Every structure is written in C-alpha cells, then in structure tokens.
Amino acid sequence: MMLPPTTIMVAAAAAVAAAAERVFYVVLVDESQRDHARAAACTWLRVVAPPAKTILVTERNRSTFLASFRACSFRPAPHLAVKSLLDYTHVVRRFATALKPADDDWVVIAHAHTLVRPGKLAAMLKDRQIGDYAGLVRNASDGPQYLGYFPHVAPEHGLVLRGVAARKLTTEARRDDFDFRAAEFGAARLAAELRAFGITPTDSDCFRAVSGDDDDDDDDDWMQRGVTLGPLDPREMLAFGARVWGSALRPPPSYPKSSSSPTLAIAVLVRESEAVEAVAAIERGWGSAVRRENGRNSVEFFVSADVVVAADKEDVVRLALPPRPDASSRFYWSKKSFAKGDEWNEWLRRKVAAVARRFYDDDDHDETSSRDFVMIVDDDTEVVPGRLFEVLAEYDPRRAVAFGRKFGHVEKGALVGGGPGIVISRAALRRMAAVDCPDALPIISKTVPGGDGWLGQCFDMAGVRVADDWRFKSFPRHAYPPDQRSRFATFHRNSHKNPVFFVDPTTTCRHVVSHWILRRPTCAPRFAIIGAPKCGTTSLHYVLGQHPDVALPSRKELNFWGSPWSSSSATPTTLRSFLFRYLGAFPYGRVTGESSPDYFVSGDAPKNMLRFVPKIQLVISLRDPVDRAASAYHNKLDDKSLHRYLNVDDPRLDTDLPSYTPPSFSDLALDVNDTLETCPDYARHRTMREPGQPGCFVNPFVLHSYYAKYLRPWFDAFQPHHFLVLDYADLANAPNATFARLAHFLGLSPFPYDTALRYNTRHNRGVHPASRRRNKKPRAGGIVTATYRDPPGPWTIDHRTATILHRYFRSPNRQLHALLATTGHAKPSWLRSSSSQ
Ligand SMILES: Nc1ncnc2c1ncn2[C@@H]1O[C@H](COP(=O)(O)OS(=O)(=O)O)[C@@H](OP(=O)(O)O)[C@H]1O
C-alpha cells in the first residue's frame, strides 16, 4: 500500500507522535547509495518498524525522497532532510523539534543498514536500566576521568536516547565547527553535546558491531522470518551493521565460531630507521607471548629491501620493494600520508600488497596446517596476546572477514586502520588470493590513502566483510582508564587521531592527552591564571612554578583561548587546528597550567575554555583599579606601544613613532571624564577592540579595571568553585599566605616558596629589545627577570587624575562588590575602604 506523494510529512509525523508505543526509530538513509539505500529503507519499514514509528532522514529533499519510495511500494515514513547524515546532533535536534518526544520516550537512531530487532530492543528498553543514552560505546569508557575521545556511541551500531535527552539538544546550540568527514566526529560531537548536560553514554553489550558472516545467507528468507524472532541470547545482537547496502539486513551470526585456540600469523611492518630497536622491543614485549600462545603462531617483521637489519634473525623478511621515498624528509614521521604525495602512498600500498601476497603464497590450503587468521600490525602496535586470542575465538576463520578498528560509516570502502592492527580470516585471505588485487588500486580514502586503504579496497574487490571490533584501540594504552585497559586486544602507541574535539581535561595531571604529532603524552592544564593584567600574574606564575609538583610551559603567556590584542587569538579554525599545539606546550606528569592575563579581558576565552577545558581551575588577581590602570599605562608607555591601545590599527604610528607624542595618564583620565559626561551608561563603554557603538570609547588601561564587566562572562561560564580570587594587596603584603591559599586551591602540598622573588615589577621589567630601537616596530614583552626588591608601592597620581578615576570606578566597584558577594568570594581590600564605594 502506498500513499500518494502528496502525503504531508508533518501529518505523518504527528501520527508518529501520537502512537501509543513511544519508541521512535530515526533511520539515516544515505541516498547517495541509491538503490541499496532505498532497499535498506524499504526493508526497515517492512520488517523493523512501520512508517507510523519511523522517521527517515536523508540528505536529499522531499520530492526525491518520495519518488524513491514508489520503488518499494511502501508508504513513505515521515521524513527529515538534513545537510549531513553524520551530523547526528543536528538530526536529533531536528527530530526533537519536530516531534517533541516526551521525557520517557525513546529515540532509536540507526543507519538503514543497521539491523535492529525491535521486539528485543523494546524489551530491553522496558526492562533494563540503560541510562538516557546508550549503545556500543567506542574509543572510551564511562570513566569520568577519561581523557581523549569522549565516550561516544556509534549510530551505525544503533543508539538509543531518552526523549528528555533529545529535547535538551534543542535548547542550546553549543558547537558548530565540527568536521564531518569522519563519522566518529559526528558521533563524538553528539556525545560532547550531551555531556554538556551531564548525560554520558552507557555501554551496552546488546549493541554489537558485526563480526563476520558469510555471503551465502539467504537474507530474504531471514527477513521473512522476521527480526523479532529468536531467543535473546546475550551473544546475539540487537543491532549490527551489515556489510553491503544491497543486503541490508542480515541475521546475527552464531557464536562461538572458531576453535577455542585459533592460530595466528602476525606481520609487523617495521620502519627501517628503527628496525633494530623495534624488533627487539616487540620480541621483549608481546612477540614471544604471541608465538607461545598455542605453539603454532608466528610473528614476522617486514622491512623493505634497502635496509640491513638483524641479518641473523630469520623472522625478518625483506620485501623486494623500491627504496622508501622521502625517508629523509621532515614529513617522515608525519602520518598525514596524503600530504606526502602519491609516490609515498604508492610505496605504502605496494608494501602491504607484498605482505598480503606473501601470506597467501604461503597458504598451503590445508585447513590443519594453515593459520586461522593473519594479522598486519605496525611496529608501534601494542598487542595484548591473551586478549587477542580470546577475540579471535569469537570469529570463524571459515568466513571471509577482516576486522579491527574500522573506518568509514558506510560499508563502501570500509577499511580497518593499520595502527591497531588488521586481522584477516583464512577464508578472506583465500578470496584475496583468488582476486590477486593489483598494486595500483585508485586511492578512495583521502584520510587513509596508504597500505590500509589498499587493503580496504582489496577486501571490497574480494568480497571480504569488514567488521569493526571495539577491542582494537587506536590510542595508546595510557589513553584509556586503568580499569578499562584489560578489555582491549590491541593499542596503537602513536595514535594518528587528532584529539582536538574530544579533550576533556580533568583537574589532575595524571590524565593525559596523547597526540601523534606530539609523539608523547601531554597533560591538559589544570589551572590558568587569567589576570587581571598588571595584578602580579607573572610573580604568581613563576613563584608557583617553584613547587616540585608543578610543571609549567616554557612560556608564560600562551594566550591561546583568546586575547583581544593578539593576532594569534583563537578562532574556531585556529582552536581546532592548534589545540594540540597548545596542549603540547604543557609538560607531562605534574600539575600544570598557564598564565595569560589577557584572558581576563577577552570576550572569547570563557566560552572557549568552557568548551575545551571545562574542568579548569581559574586564578584571578585583582588590584586597586586606579593603580592597575596606571601600571598598565606605564607598561605600554615603556614598550613604546601605547598608541596601539589607543588607535585602531593605525599603521602609520609604528613607522612615525619618533614623532608620536603619547598622551599622559592625566590626558587619558580627562578623556575618560568626557566619556562619562557624554556617555554615562557604563554598559556602552568599550575599548577600541571591543565591538559596539562608537562614541563611548574608554582607553583599555582604565576600562580593564572595570572588573565586573570582564568578570561577568567568566562567572556566567564557570561555577564559582572554579575560581580563586586573590587580592593583589595580599600578594604584596602577605605573599606566603597568598601562595599557601593558591597551593591549597590547586590541591598542592604546602611548600616553602621563595615569595620574596618578584617578577615583572616596574623596577625590573624587561622591555622588548625591538622596542628600544628607533624606527623599529615596538614589541610587547621583554625578558622576564626577578628581583628581591620590595614590592613597588602604589603609583603616584596627581590629585585631579585620581579624583576623576575614583569617580569613574565608583559604579564598577559597586558592581564588583555585588558580583563577588553573589558568587561567594571575599571582597578585595580596596573595596573595603569607603572611599572607593
Ligand atoms: N610579589 C609582588 N608583589 C606586589 N606586586 C608585584 C609582585 N610581583 C609583581 N608585582 C607587580 O605586578 C605588576 C605586574 O603584574 P603582571 O605580572 O600581572 O603584569 S602583566 O599583565 O603580566 O604584564 C607590576 O606592577 P607595577 O610595578 O605597578 O607596574 C609589578 O610590580
């Protein structure tokens, strides 16, 4: 039965909403896969859930979509068209806005090629406590301290979400700059957005990745039998991805598959420059344990012919390949393979092809002597032998399957990443032998153009199913919480993944970010001293750094999260591209943090930090506003950069500097007075760098002492307990007590700091050498020096200037007082003196 195309989607959607059973199926249909996608979607409607319960989501418009359903003679389900199927957050948002699910409703999100057994799923949703967001959790765990990828659920294996969670996503658009080229970014983004509402995924073993099947199954027959049939065996699947779109739904494979003690041959692709060390390390590590496992396993090391390594070692296989290209280039370590050029990828593909060929040439087609599985790993793959063999025992070597950490959200071109290792069953190897894929296969994946890409294509040509197994991990062991590590079969020591979107810094440095570019683990900052400028932040930074448990970046002001004065200030693009560099600035293993006083006055820093380092502890120092303004003024006067803070990017002034007569502090105060007369509304006061109406300009030296204005976005973003608000006067007069407070706030043990060392005072401040030279562009920031001189007293300011400024700060001080009171912070000394109030 098919409704006319004029059927209005909204009406159908309303029918869904009114359905008695409140489980919605949101099915993602990749129409670029045309017939297969349609077949899958039609099958969904016929077998899994009728249109009244299903919302189909495509990237095409409605008319194309409706037309496609004529073909399957089925009434079209409600339809949502989205820009990208992989933007799961948007999909959920659209769904929740259109259908307004009730709190207790369930939303099941799956790709059309995901097998779902609705009866079993409904039973599970009813009976089991699975939280508000569940599925097969990838790359992570529920560990709250996990740092790396957010724990996230891959919709291709099915994902369930409570109505209440789906609706939350409609309340606020948090993150808009994701890159959807990789499916897991979309899935991780959804996780990140939900996480902002305190919703973390539950890992349920009922959502499984497909693990292998042969191609002889009669899908139609199975579909006739219905997906709700069968006992709910814990090893059966509620949902899993099928291999090809054309045969969208497949029966769950039956377990156990292989013998209890599968046999395995491992090929290690060894980087020539490190071959000797790598071979030795693997032998010492997992190599011999793999060989021992059942006495029939082998581990061989494959190097290219131009390298002489361990000549006496019979397990080292020299491949007859042309010399490795650009081995001396600085890109040698870069894993951006596609950037290295065709020659390089060509070579990598030939290498893997040669290894695969060697495997199948060795195959004597005797089931008793042939290995059940072969595996190709990198020399930085860490294999956990015991666990690996348990995993292998779940697969049937007689079925043509390759598995590991799968890439690619659709089955077309699906491949397994080489880092965590690629396992190929005996049957798969034989199919590959029959096809004997040529070395020159076109590169179909830009992200994986090398050897693993070639294998993926060869799997496709040979009809080898590519399966995702969650126990193959693309991060190093330390990136996973200790209690999770024992579950995994492999790790990749030098992860290729960019953790940019998934950083979840914790308050302790024991949790690390690992990035392939860094080639070492690093630590997300636990704290940031965010200003205010000229309030002793340099002394706070360096004196704190004396603590043995504290390790600081080599530079004080990273200004990564945003500074109105910095050209390298964060934009969505720079944030995304450079977060790893920022993280790379932090030493590993101790409490770390940074100090960038410009964050205080940056409009962007609070939201950027909340987004990427939400657990960070923020240290703020506040000083008498007039004194701070004078300090800031004299600092820029010394730097010969005053004009930059008073004129909007006037390039002439840099070159005409000798003729530039800077205004005095008193002149500036008079200007402020004028502004106050003509523009009494403080909300309109701005420095030249802040957006807003013209006419209410207040120079930044003065305006940046309007603390309430700049503090408000911070307190809006972070909870009060994130902040330690210090009084500059305490730093000057009671430094030991001040540093003790700071240490306590950061969870550091007491330490006898040398607090008499004072940095960046007006007596010892370094002026950038360029600023001293005539006609040279002035540069901010000099060499940081410290002295034991007494702290400088307040600036001498003439009476008229002081009166103007005290008058100016009356209202800002009152606002600050109120803000600190509502956030539970003590008021600084100058607020206690009545003159300021
Ligand atoms: N220990 C200690 N006690 C009291 N005062 C101190 C201390 N250390 C630095 N200072 C004074 O703080 C001013 C410099 O602050 P910052 O380091 O935050 O400046 S900056 O924003 O990083 O440029 C600068 O103020 P002025 O001298 O008034 O300009 C320093 O003298």
Side-chain angles (χ1 to χ4, degrees), residues 532-539 556-557 597 623 631 635 728 731-732 755 757-762 791-792 795:
K534 309 314 295 176
C535 294
T537 58
T538 316
S539 284
K556 178 199 162 207
E557 297 183 17
R623 178 178 183 177
S631 168
N635 179 165
Y728 170 89
L731 175 67
T755 57
L757 258 186
R758 296 188 176 89
Y759 293 79
N760 198 24
T761 73
R762 73 191 74 147
W795 288 85

Side-chain angles (χ1 to χ4, degrees), residues 529 531-541 543 556-557 595-598 621 623 627-628 630-632 634-636 638 728-733 735 739 755-765 781 787 789-795:
I529 298 173
K534 309 314 295 176
C535 294
T537 58
T538 316
S539 284
L540 286 171
H541 178 86
V543 174
K556 178 199 162 207
E557 297 183 17
S595 308
S596 297
D598 278 355
S621 170
R623 178 178 183 177
D627 205 33
R628 196 215 72 83
S631 168
H634 285 103
N635 179 165
K636 303 306 170 201
D638 291 350
Y728 170 89
D730 291 341
L731 175 67
N733 304 324
F739 280 99
T755 57
L757 258 186
R758 296 188 176 89
Y759 293 79
N760 198 24
T761 73
R762 73 191 74 147
H763 306 305
N764 62 20
R765 219 179 72 80
T787 57
R789 281 182 72 162
D790 285 344
W795 288 85

Side-chain angles (χ1 to χ4, degrees), residues 146 181 212 303 322 366 418 423 428 465 501-502 558 580 613 637 690:
Y146 178 75
R181 280 171 306 179
V303 294
D366 176 347
V423 183
R465 168 160 304 190
F501 303 117
F502 313 102
L558 299 178
F580 67 89
V613 284
L637 187 70
E690 293 168 34

Side-chain angles (χ1 to χ4, degrees), residues 605-621:
K607 54 180 190 290
N608 285 339
M609 289 172 92
L610 180 69
R611 176 173 152 193
F612 287 101
V613 284
K615 293 187 181 175
I616 198 153
Q617 292 179 279
L618 301 163
V619 179
I620 295 171
S621 170

Side-chain angles (χ1 to χ4, degrees), residues 45-284:
L45 297 176
R46 202 178 299 126
V47 180
V48 181
K53 287 183 178 179
T54 302
I55 297 92
L56 296 177
V57 183
T58 67
E59 292 177 357
R60 301 278 183 96
N61 65 33
R62 184 172 154 252
S63 55
T64 321
F65 167 78
L66 284 174
S68 74
F69 276 87
R70 287 200 196 102
C72 71
S73 309
F74 211 89
R75 191 182 123 194
H79 170 234
L80 290 172
V82 294
K83 253 193 183 156
S84 165
L85 282 185
L86 301 181
D87 186 351
Y88 303 117
T89 311
H90 181 59
V91 169
V92 174
R93 234 178 238 148
R94 290 286 311 277
F95 160 80
T97 308
L99 297 179
K100 302 196 174 39
D103 283 6
D104 289 338
D105 290 343
W106 284 104
V107 188
V108 180
I109 301 167
H111 285 264
H113 61 298
T114 304
L115 183 148
V116 171
R117 315 182 78 196
K120 302 299 174 195
L121 182 60
M124 186 189 78
L125 296 178
K126 206 162 156 210
D127 298 342
R128 292 178 57 165
Q129 293 293 317
I130 58 168
D132 288 345
Y133 165 45
L136 174 64
V137 172
R138 302 188 51 156
N139 253 327
S141 76
D142 287 333
Q145 305 290 17
Y146 178 75
L147 204 152
Y149 276 20
F150 279 122
H152 60 278
V153 173
E156 62 183 328
H157 310 308
L159 174 165
V160 294
L161 204 58
R162 274 271 189 207
V164 62
R167 275 206 335 267
K168 284 204 164 126
L169 294 180
T170 61
T171 57
E172 201 181 343
R174 281 174 178 267
R175 306 172 66 157
D176 299 316
D177 55 342
F178 281 82
D179 182 341
F180 294 108
R181 280 171 306 179
E184 58 189 337
F185 289 175
R189 173 190 180 177
L190 177 63
E193 301 257 3
L194 290 168
R195 197 182 170 89
F197 296 105
I199 301 166
T200 51
T202 311
D203 196 2
S204 165
D205 60 3
C206 291
F207 297 84
R208 299 291 296 269
V210 66
S211 59
D213 196 359
D214 68 29
D215 283 352
D216 302 321
D217 291 307
D218 183 348
D219 295 332
D220 290 338
D221 175 52
W222 178 80
M223 286 173 200
Q224 297 299 321
R225 286 187 278 125
V227 285
T228 57
L229 294 178
L232 183 58
D233 184 304
R235 286 182 300 191
E236 273 194 346
M237 300 173 181
L238 280 175
F240 68 92
R243 177 173 160 256
V244 268
W245 289 79
S247 50
L249 300 179
R250 288 173 173 276
S254 48
Y255 291 108
K257 297 195 157 174
S258 86
S259 66
S260 55
S261 125
T263 51
L264 172 70
I266 299 189
V268 188
L269 305 183
V270 185
R271 213 169 273 138
E272 287 71 24
S273 59
E274 291 186 352
V276 177
E277 298 87 336
V279 170
I282 289 167
E283 291 296 18
R284 273 197 315 274

